[in-house]
Structures are given as structure tokens and as C-alpha cells.
């Protein structure tokens, strides 16, 4: 074997090893991001399950406002029907998923405001436990979304930086979408308190 052939083989081996390690690191980062999204969905599922139990507890209050309760039930059904394929985490799909979750959050907020008018229900031990668990779950959802964004950030940086971007293009690694807050949430909500009643 000539010296020139040996040099070509060594260069090709170095390129192959480099491509192998870059490819594997991008696969690991992509799978970490997918797992992080699955954790987001898991937290939303936990929230949905808690809301189902909360609704059952509230139904026990005989004179509770039915329209508010039905709005929560319908919003929960819509939120649980909206699913995203983990391999298709586009900004549009994430926005559609979040829109359904925002509808559920709004209905739940109206339910909790309405509950304020029912002292017996507010004092119900099961209701209080569920309300505390729901607050804890909301924090877990926020944490899971932040971890997802962090994992996507690591993956996107890996696929966009040189020379990884060359291998990302060759192997079909695409940018993943980050979770974004709903439009308008950057503005502070207006709170009106009516103390006259």
C-alpha cells in the first residue's frame, strides 16, 4: 500500500469517526427532546385526571351552577382529544395543542371563581385536596414545558452549529419547535374587583 493510499484511508477514517460521533450525539439530543415533550403530555394528562375528580366532587354540590361545570367537562374533553405526534412537533401543532389546553385552563378558572360562592364546597376536604394537587400540577406542567424547551434548545444548537449542520443536513435532522406561551400572555391581566356586593 502506498503512502498516498494510507493517508487517504486515514483521512476517510477520521471523517467517518467524526460523522459517527456527530450523528449519535444529534440522535441523543433529539430523543431527549422527544422524551421531554412526552413529560409535558404526561403532566397535562395528570391535570386532566385531577380535573375529572374535581368535577365529580363539585357535582356533589346539588345546587352548583351546571353551565360552568359543563364548560369544564367540554373543555377537558377537547383538550384530551388534541394530540401531537412526537415526530411532528411543529410550531403549528404545538400551538393547536396549547390552544386546547388554554381552553381548559380558562374553564377551570371560571369554575374555581364560581366555587367561591359555595362555602360548603370550599370547606369540603376532598375539594381542598384536589385544588392543592391541581395547583401543584400546574407548577409541574410549567417545569415540564421549560425542560422541553431546554432540550429542544440543546438539540437545535447542535444541528445548527458548524460542522454539525453539514451532518444534520445529510442525515435529515430538522429543527424542532419550542413551546411558546399563548398570544397575549405577555400582557398583565386586568383585575376588576367589585366590593359593592
Amino acid at each position: 500500500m502506498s503512502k498516498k493510499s494510507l493517508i487517504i484511508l486515514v483521512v476517510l477514517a477520521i471523517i467517518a469517526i467524526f460523522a459517527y460521533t456527530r450523528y449519535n450525539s444529534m440522535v441523543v439530543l433529539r430523543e431527549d427532546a422527544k422524551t421531554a415533550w412526552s413529560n409535558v403530555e404526561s403532566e397535562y394528562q395528570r391535570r386532566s385526571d385531577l380535573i375529572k375528580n374535581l368535577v365529580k366532587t363539585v357535582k356533589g354540590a346539588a345546587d352548583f351552577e351546571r353551565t360552568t361545570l359543563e364548560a369544564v367537562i367540554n373543555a377537558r374533553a377537547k383538550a384530551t382529544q388534541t394530540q401531537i405526534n412526537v415526530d411532528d412537533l411543529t410550531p403549528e401543532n404545538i400551538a393547536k395543542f396549547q390552544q386546547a389546553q388554554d381552553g381548559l385552563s380558562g374553564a377551570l378558572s371560571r369554575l374555581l371563581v364560581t366555587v367561591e360562592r359555595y362555602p360548603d364546597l370550599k370547606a369540603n376536604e376532598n375539594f381542598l385536596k384536589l385544588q392543592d394537587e391541581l395547583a401543584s400540577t400546574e407548577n409541574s406542567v410549567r417545569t415540564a414545558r421549560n425542560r422541553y424547551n431546554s432540550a429542544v434548545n440543546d438539540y437545535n444548537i447542535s444541528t445548527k452549529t458548524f460542522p454539525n449542520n453539514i451532518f444534520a443536513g445529510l442525515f435529515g435532522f430538522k429543527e424542532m419547535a419550542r413551546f411558546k406561551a399563548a398570544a397575549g400572555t405577555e400582557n398583565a391581566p386586568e383585575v376588576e374587583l367589585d366590593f359593592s356586593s
Side-chain angles (χ1 to χ4, degrees), residues 48 97 131 140 152 174 191:
S48 177
F97 180 83
Q131 196 173 15
S140 297
V152 167
K174 296 179 182 157
V191 178

Side-chain angles (χ1 to χ4, degrees), residues 39-55 72 75-80 97-109 112 130-131 133-142 145 179:
N39 292 340
V40 169
E41 290 181 320
S42 175
E43 290 301 328
Y44 277 125
Q45 181 62 51
R46 180 172 184 255
R47 179 175 109 171
S48 177
D49 294 343
L50 285 171
I51 290 171
K52 183 171 71 175
N53 292 333
L54 188 69
V55 166
V72 173
R76 180 185 174 275
K78 184 178 179 183
T80 56
F97 180 83
Q98 187 54 36
Q99 185 178 19
Q101 295 299 326
D102 289 344
L104 180 56
S105 294
L108 185 59
S109 294
L112 294 177
L130 287 167
Q131 196 173 15
E133 276 192 57
L134 200 53
S136 171
T137 299
E138 290 299 326
N139 286 331
S140 297
V141 166
R142 181 184 48 80
R145 289 187 306 220
F179 180 89

